[in-house]
Amino acid sequence: MGYYENSFYGLLALCAGLLASQPTRRNELQKLAEKGKQLSKDDKHPEENWYKVYALVMGADWLQGPYLYPLYRDEHGLSERLVSTLFATGFLSSAISAYFIGAVADKYGRKAVCMLFCLIYAMSCCLTVVPAVPLLFLGRILGGISTSILFSVFDSWMVTNFRERKLVENGCDLSRTYATTSIVNSLSAILSGVASEWLVRVTGTKKAPFLLSAVLLWCALQLMWAHWMENYGTKASESADAPKASSIWTTLKKPSILALGFASTMFEGSMYLFVFFWTPTIKSVQKSAGELPYGYIFSSFMASSMAAALTFNIVMQKRPFKYSRLLVGILLAANFCFVKLAGPKTEDAAFWLFCLFEACVGMYWPCIGYLKGHLVEDDVRAKVYGVLRIPLNLFVVLSLSIAGDSKHFTRVFSVCSMLLTASFGTVWAASMKDSMP
């Protein structure tokens, strides 16, 4: 067994230990019963169908992660410049569609848009395996639209569903929901990484994970159709104009929202650049012989993320400090990773720095999700989440344009470290002046 396989199984063992120490809904129900509150007799977890759907859609997304770049370069034979342009096209598509998707979801229903996501993303997967440049660009455009839906509308549906069903009275906690969602995401990614490695080995082609992704998306669509309830933003009976627009921009002008928007742009932008650059970075310092085990490396990153999310769940159960202060710490740690990655490094150092950054990602998602869940109102949630993703996607497009190709990753990492420094300063200042959780 090789170095990367051993590292992966070691990280899995760490996750298993943390999983055994997790706070649960059962504990909360016992506390509520002790206070004499009437509880539901239904043992089924009220968020079970959310976790099932999220596992499927994220599994479909992560299946492609280790092999998108190698598929473009190795099987389709595309140049570095063209691959960079394809990635940039996806992010530009996401930026352009972000606001409109949020507005449509708030008005016509978030469940409906989430179901539409499954169809659009499945089409993107099918087009990605066709070695024709126009179809590859169309696949990236559809992939960008799908990404906007995945990271704004799904989240909006979950938070509104939590509040409308008053799940806090059923032993649920929004912070724990976000942490568990992050854990489900990481677990899906781990399984997807191993599955994609096995699929490629058995079939002999890097196209196989993309076809399996389309199958998972179809399964998610069926679950949503059968079990999700529809929810909306602004009610259809309300007037269409000034009050709603005012509500959106009033929300976006709050110092806390501006700080979160800037931090999410810098952090998530760095994360997407990591997706593009981790493969060439490790290949550039590779000392081990033979082909890199992309699936195991990717799964190790996700195991690091899962371990961090499990730690978040344990630590924040008692609320020892504010979520905004935790976000500052996460941004500082991510900054450290990029400072080191921008300098000289060995293969082992690059691998573990990427693992540390993924640990930051594992804590970041439940932390930023909880903050936005409390600071953004339900009636404009999808719109606001969509607008906050516009600068993120433009940042990634600009970064890829500056980098040109994957050989200039050190330049990109240096810029990421400087911008992350600015972002944690912004969040710290906002938390001092505004009432951030």
Side-chain angles (χ1 to χ4, degrees), residues 275-296:
V275 171
F276 183 74
F277 288 114
W278 76 261
T279 303
T281 300
I282 292 183
K283 285 181 74 172
S284 71
V285 292
Q286 182 182 1
K287 298 298 182 186
S288 54
E291 179 81 2
L292 285 168
Y294 294 111
Y296 278 108

Side-chain angles (χ1 to χ4, degrees), residues 215-270:
V215 175
L216 294 184
L217 289 165
W218 178 252
C219 294
L221 175 63
Q222 300 306 309
L223 273 175
M224 279 186 268
W225 176 268
H227 299 293
W228 278 23
M229 295 187 298
E230 186 62 275
N231 65 48
Y232 303 85
T234 305
K235 301 293 186 293
S237 58
E238 293 177 353
S239 172
D241 310 304
K244 288 190 289 185
S246 173
S247 178
I248 297 166
W249 298 113
T250 299
T251 300
L252 289 170
K253 287 189 288 186
K254 292 178 182 177
S256 55
I257 298 298
L258 289 173
L260 289 181
F262 183 66
S264 63
T265 296
M266 297 304 105
F267 186 91
E268 294 175 39
S270 301

Side-chain angles (χ1 to χ4, degrees), residues 20-154:
S21 305
Q22 289 297 291
T24 64
R25 172 174 168 260
R26 190 181 301 276
N27 296 336
E28 291 300 316
L29 287 173
Q30 288 175 353
K31 292 177 184 178
L32 290 172
E34 288 170 3
K35 294 178 181 178
K37 293 192 176 181
Q38 189 72 25
L39 302 177
S40 170
K41 294 182 180 180
D42 187 2
D43 289 333
K44 183 179 177 182
H45 197 291
E47 295 174 299
E48 178 182 324
N49 290 317
W50 158 253
Y51 294 130
K52 285 180 180 177
V53 169
Y54 197 77
L56 287 169
V57 297
M58 293 310 299
D61 189 49
W62 286 120
L63 269 172
Q64 306 166 49
Y67 288 103
L68 184 56
Y69 178 87
L71 176 65
Y72 283 152
R73 289 286 288 136
D74 301 338
E75 288 204 20
H76 292 342
L78 305 180
S79 67
E80 288 270 10
R81 173 65 69 174
L82 185 53
V83 172
S84 179
T85 305
L86 281 165
F87 273 82
T89 299
F91 288 110
L92 191 59
S93 166
S94 188
I96 294 171
S97 62
Y99 175 78
F100 302 104
I101 284 169
V104 168
D106 281 342
K107 185 173 182 180
Y108 295 105
R110 293 157 182 168
K111 172 185 172 180
V113 173
C114 289
M115 291 172 64
L116 181 63
F117 156 86
C118 294
L119 297 175
I120 295 174
Y121 206 17
M123 290 173 61
S124 172
C125 293
C126 294
L127 290 170
T128 300
V129 304
V130 182
V133 173
L135 295 180
L136 292 176
F137 273 100
L138 179 57
R140 282 297 86 213
I141 291 169
L142 294 177
I145 296 170
S146 303
T147 301
S148 279
I149 298 173
L150 181 59
F151 290 103
S152 59
V153 182
F154 276 82

Side-chain angles (χ1 to χ4, degrees), residues 42 59 65 80 103 126 128 162 177 184 201 228 292 329-330 345 359 369 372 389 411 430 435:
D42 187 2
E80 288 270 10
C126 294
T128 300
F162 186 96
T177 298
V184 168
R201 191 178 302 156
W228 278 23
L292 285 168
I330 293 168
K345 55 199 164 288
K372 290 194 294 187
R389 290 191 62 81
R411 184 195 310 170
S435 55

